[in-house]
Amino acid sequence: MILKQLKLNGIEAAVIAFIICALAAVSAFTTTTVKYISLPENGTHLFNAVYNYVFNGQITFFTQIVALILILAEALLVTAMNTNHELTRAKNIFFLFVYIILSLSYIPLNTFLPEQIANIFITLGFVKILSSHGLDKAEFHFFDAGLLFGVSALFCTSAMIMLLIGLIAFINYRPYKFNEFAVYIIGFFTPFFIYLSIFYLIEGNLTAIEEFYRAKFTASLNLNIKENELISFISYALMIFLASVFIMQEYRKYNLFSTRTYRMFFIMFACILILVMTPYFGLQSLRLMTMPLTMLYVTVFYNFKQTVFSEVFFTVFLLVHVGIQGIWYAMP
């Protein structure tokens, strides 16, 4: 009856959610699992400089604490976005629980990643996009969204995909207007202009940044997926497929705003999946999917009628996203 308790949002739900999330978070600290966690792969020149200065370029106890704090911050922002725009009536505990479980599920990603910083600014950017719906003039919303997406890309190279996703999202909500798209693009590149200007004033050249991006996009990553990772991804894929089937059955019942929003989340999911398949970005880019996947699962679970099947499906979700961590504990 875990799903029922989470829907009721009572003290029992809070206790259950806390215990399960705490157990999942342990994987970020045990010596058994930490050896499977890799250093950040998609950090920009700025992120890597900060990471090396603060953490000496290593995974430490403090990087794991920062990672957990950022996961909570991400979850709170997604919850606030839903509250402001009423995409679903699910309670806050439910949102926090699903987001944290999704974030901690895949043990190799349980460390401080540039995608976490990106997720915070991406969510804030989506708030601006959602707020533009129905407005006659939305230039300021376009600029703010572009600025926030640009900041996310300033720390995370894989977040560059948000330039495209943002443009598609605005088309999804509004008729095309050149001036709105222009200010969006200006907003996106403004953080880069500021950073490059400051860097040039300090260093006198941009050679280090040029060499960084040249190395990033000329090197080819080899995605060697191991057996335990393959089991994980197949399990995740089946869960996403089933949740997608269920939400499509309810799709016609949504209003125009909700329909466009869930379409936007699917587009974001698809774009990130394609990004991961390129030879330039590793599996860590999957962390950018957490927000759209949270919206998918929360909507499906909350809209389920309280039946034995709904409890079984939710239990399977927990077994996949929490129980599958046992694979890494069982490995030699």
Side-chain angles (χ1 to χ4, degrees), residues 3 28 31 40 51 57 146 149 172 182 197 229 233 254 294 300 308:
L3 178 59
T31 54
Y51 189 88
F149 290 159
N172 181 48
S197 298
E229 295 173 328
F233 292 139
Y254 299 145
T294 297
V300 168
V308 174

Side-chain angles (χ1 to χ4, degrees), residues 302-314:
Y302 190 78
N303 289 343
F304 258 151
K305 293 181 179 179
Q306 194 60 42
T307 63
V308 174
F309 177 76
S310 65
E311 287 289 347
V312 170
F313 185 50
F314 187 72

Side-chain angles (χ1 to χ4, degrees), residues 227-299:
E227 183 179 355
N228 59 316
E229 295 173 328
L230 185 62
I231 294 172
S232 300
F233 292 139
I234 291 175
S235 302
Y236 296 149
L238 288 174
M239 287 300 303
I240 293 170
F241 174 76
L242 289 174
S244 300
V245 170
F246 292 132
I247 203 171
M248 287 302 295
Q249 293 176 348
E250 301 292 323
Y251 197 65
R252 63 184 181 277
K253 300 178 183 179
Y254 299 145
N255 58 34
L256 180 61
F257 177 73
S258 296
T259 300
R260 290 175 173 175
T261 301
Y262 285 107
R263 184 191 303 141
M264 179 187 71
F265 289 144
F266 172 76
I267 291 171
M268 180 178 177
F269 171 84
C271 288
I272 295 171
L273 187 61
I274 293 172
L275 185 77
V276 173
M277 294 178 180
T278 67
Y280 308 112
F281 302 95
L283 294 175
Q284 292 181 0
S285 298
L286 292 172
R287 275 292 275 112
L288 295 177
M289 291 183 179
T290 313
M291 187 263 284
L293 286 180
T294 297
M295 295 303 305
L296 169 67
Y297 283 123
V298 170
T299 302

